Amino acid sequence: MLTNEFQGVSLSRLGFGAMRLPLLPGETDGSAIDEKRVDEMVDYAMAHGVNYFDTAYPYHAGKSEVVLGRSLSRYPRERWYLADKYPGHQISSSYDPAAIFEEQLKKCGVDYFDFYLLHNVYENSIQVYMDQKWGILDYFLEQKRLGRIRFLGFSAHGGIPTLETFLNYCGSQMDFCQLQLNYLDWTLQHGREKYELLTRHGIPVWVMEPVRGGRLARLSDSELAPLRQLRPGDTGAAWAFRFLQGLPNVKMILSGMSSLEQMAENTATLSVDQPLTQEELAALLELAETMKDSIPCTACRYCCDGCPMGLDIPSMIAAYNEVRFQPGSNVGMRFDALPLDKRPAACIACGKCSQACPQGIDVPSALKGLAEAIEKTPSWADICKQREQEAKQNRS
């Protein structure tokens, strides 16, 4: 297994993310985890040099921490590194930092966390993390001082302005940042700009969603065809991991693996240092563009000048391109924090934007499509509320 040195610690380049653990046959609610299969995956990981394991408070309705902690406890504590997260994006009166942290330690069966993250900093949660009345940052910095957290970081799904705001607020106190990054989101979610921003701030990058929920591991034959001409034996997942090998500030690649087969393939790929050649990178990024089927917005912002509603049209078109590729809650949650008159549905379809667009884009139709997609997707607040209820039921 390839490794990276991080502040005196040797980390396996592949980390085992515990958000998509295998479930018992016939179970669909996410909490009925197949612990025998988890043990098999952990055993394989340990035998092949994987030493980083990542969980979070809401994963599997609160059961992920328990199951992963129990499985890891079969090995000496010094052989593995455990990461957990504080759910500030789900904040409520019951989410006292001290109470949650103590509960997490108990659930995982440990006295300290090697890595701890402020979970999901985005447009609607950043103020919670920065609000002194919650005392979140101060509390976890104190836990780090006490040795109950070795390294403190954060995960982020927000846009670049939100990321910049958070870095300006506490970037000097963050040891690492966990970011959704893959060759598709390199452009679709402005991953390149986010990666470069973190690099300029001297913050190492932890990658989540390297195969975008499995989509990049399930390339069709037509999508794989140009890649097979260059490397006939590589799978879709291998291409995704090799793309990340070419980014020197990526120190950890987390994969939410659900089977022993996925674990075996990924450990094999990340046991050989073989980043993409320039020819391979060009082919992969060209494939990404064809996969997106995106609206060709260049973010020139001519459309914004005459918009009577003052909408940030380029960011909305970028979000629409993303949801057209793969629907999910990440897009909708970016707009949760905006007032109603600044959301896509506020478009009055006056057409001034389309008249000003050098690309001739039918902007009102795009914003209407985005608004409809958001309407069909559960809001992040609703998802968090449901997860909180499930976690409470499982604790009772």
Side-chain angles (χ1 to χ4, degrees):
M1 171 57 57
L2 298 171
T3 59
N4 280 319
E5 297 304 310
F6 173 79
Q7 297 193 31
V9 173
S10 182
L11 298 175
S12 58
R13 200 168 295 186
L14 175 67
F16 184 6
M19 186 175 74
R20 300 184 179 96
L21 297 174
L23 302 178
L24 293 170
E27 299 294 338
T28 58
D29 70 351
S31 63
I33 300 170
D34 190 330
E35 295 196 40
K36 180 180 179 182
R37 291 171 64 196
V38 171
D39 285 348
E40 291 173 349
M41 294 176 70
V42 168
D43 291 344
Y44 191 97
M46 297 291 287
H48 289 80
V50 175
N51 62 9
Y52 190 97
F53 300 83
D54 170 274
T55 186
Y57 192 73
Y59 291 174
H60 288 283
K63 293 293 185 66
S64 174
E65 293 168 318
V66 176
V67 170
L68 184 61
R70 194 152 51 212
S71 186
L72 289 171
S73 69
R74 299 173 299 128
Y75 292 87
R77 181 67 178 90
E78 64 274 10
R79 285 194 57 190
W80 41 271
Y81 302 107
L82 181 61
D84 209 337
K85 310 178 185 74
Y86 173 71
H89 62 300
Q90 299 176 236
I91 203 74
S92 72
S93 59
S94 63
Y95 276 70
D96 172 64
I100 293 296
F101 188 69
E102 297 299 336
E103 180 185 350
Q104 290 177 301
L105 289 170
K106 182 177 180 181
K107 288 169 68 178
C108 292
V110 296
D111 297 321
Y112 66 93
F113 290 114
D114 302 281
F115 296 82
Y116 198 82
L117 299 88
L118 306 181
H119 197 177
N120 193 6
V121 175
Y122 77 106
E123 286 71 12
N124 213 32
S125 68
I126 186 171
Q127 294 306 322
V128 171
Y129 283 119
M130 294 170 59
D131 193 334
Q132 290 299 313
K133 77 176 181 181
W134 298 105
I136 295 171
L137 180 61
D138 289 343
Y139 175 77
F140 289 116
L141 287 173
E142 176 64 8
Q143 300 313 301
K144 181 180 178 182
R145 187 189 70 80
L146 295 172
R148 305 178 82 200
I149 294 172
R150 296 181 65 184
F151 304 104
L152 182 64
F154 68 105
S155 65
H157 279 289
I160 294 174
T162 298
L163 186 57
E164 287 180 323
T165 298
F166 195 72
L167 290 173
N168 290 334
Y169 171 66
C170 64
S172 62
Q173 297 164 305
M174 296 289 105
D175 294 310
F176 64 102
C177 173
Q178 194 161 300
L179 190 69
Q180 179 167 322
L181 195 62
N182 51 66
Y183 65 82
L184 186 75
D185 290 320
W186 192 240
T187 54
L188 192 57
Q189 287 195 7
H190 302 289
R192 177 173 185 165
E193 292 87 345
K194 295 176 183 178
Y195 170 83
E196 291 174 347
L197 174 63
L198 290 165
T199 301
R200 288 197 301 273
H201 277 261
I203 297 180
V205 173
W206 265 227
V207 170
M208 55 182 163
E209 301 292 355
V211 293
R212 218 177 198 275
R215 174 61 179 85
L216 302 184
R218 298 190 298 269
L219 298 180
S220 66
D221 287 341
S222 61
E223 290 168 340
L224 271 173
L227 305 182
R228 284 174 173 156
Q229 293 179 12
L230 298 171
R231 291 186 64 86
D234 275 13
T235 63
W239 277 91
F241 286 117
R242 291 182 60 226
F243 167 78
L244 296 168
Q245 286 184 357
L247 302 177
N249 195 35
V250 167
K251 303 303 181 184
M252 171 58 57
I253 303 174
L254 288 167
S255 180
M257 296 168 279
S258 303
S259 69
L260 191 59
E261 291 74 19
Q262 292 172 357
M263 176 70 74
E265 179 182 345
N266 294 345
T267 52
T269 299
L270 287 172
S271 293
V272 180
D273 191 13
Q274 200 170 57
L276 300 177
T277 65
Q278 287 302 311
E279 182 182 13
E280 291 169 342
L281 177 60
L284 195 62
L285 294 180
E286 183 177 348
L287 169 63
E289 291 304 311
T290 63
M291 292 173 68
K292 289 191 301 187
D293 186 28
S294 60
I295 296 172
C297 174
T298 62
C300 68
R301 303 193 70 84
Y302 293 165
C303 56
C304 299
D305 293 339
C307 176
M309 302 304 295
L311 302 180
D312 186 353
I313 295 171
S315 68
M316 291 181 180
I317 291 180
Y320 188 43
N321 281 335
E322 184 177 343
V323 80
R324 275 156 53 101
F325 173 77
Q326 189 175 42
S329 61
N330 286 351
V331 169
M333 72 183 185
R334 294 179 207 164
F335 298 100
D336 286 347
L338 294 179
L340 292 176
D341 64 350
K342 298 301 179 185
R343 299 183 187 185
C347 173
I348 61 174
C350 66
K352 292 182 179 179
C353 47
S354 295
Q355 294 172 12
C357 178
Q359 312 302 323
I361 297 170
D362 183 356
V363 176
S365 293
L367 299 194
K368 180 181 179 182
L370 175 59
E372 291 173 349
I374 293 173
E375 183 68 25
K376 294 176 183 177
T377 304
S379 71
W380 188 250
D382 290 338
I383 293 172
C384 291
K385 184 177 180 180
Q386 179 182 352
R387 289 178 176 175
E388 181 177 352
Q389 291 173 342
E390 291 172 346
K392 286 181 178 178
Q393 291 172 356
N394 286 318
R395 290 198 299 268
S396 62

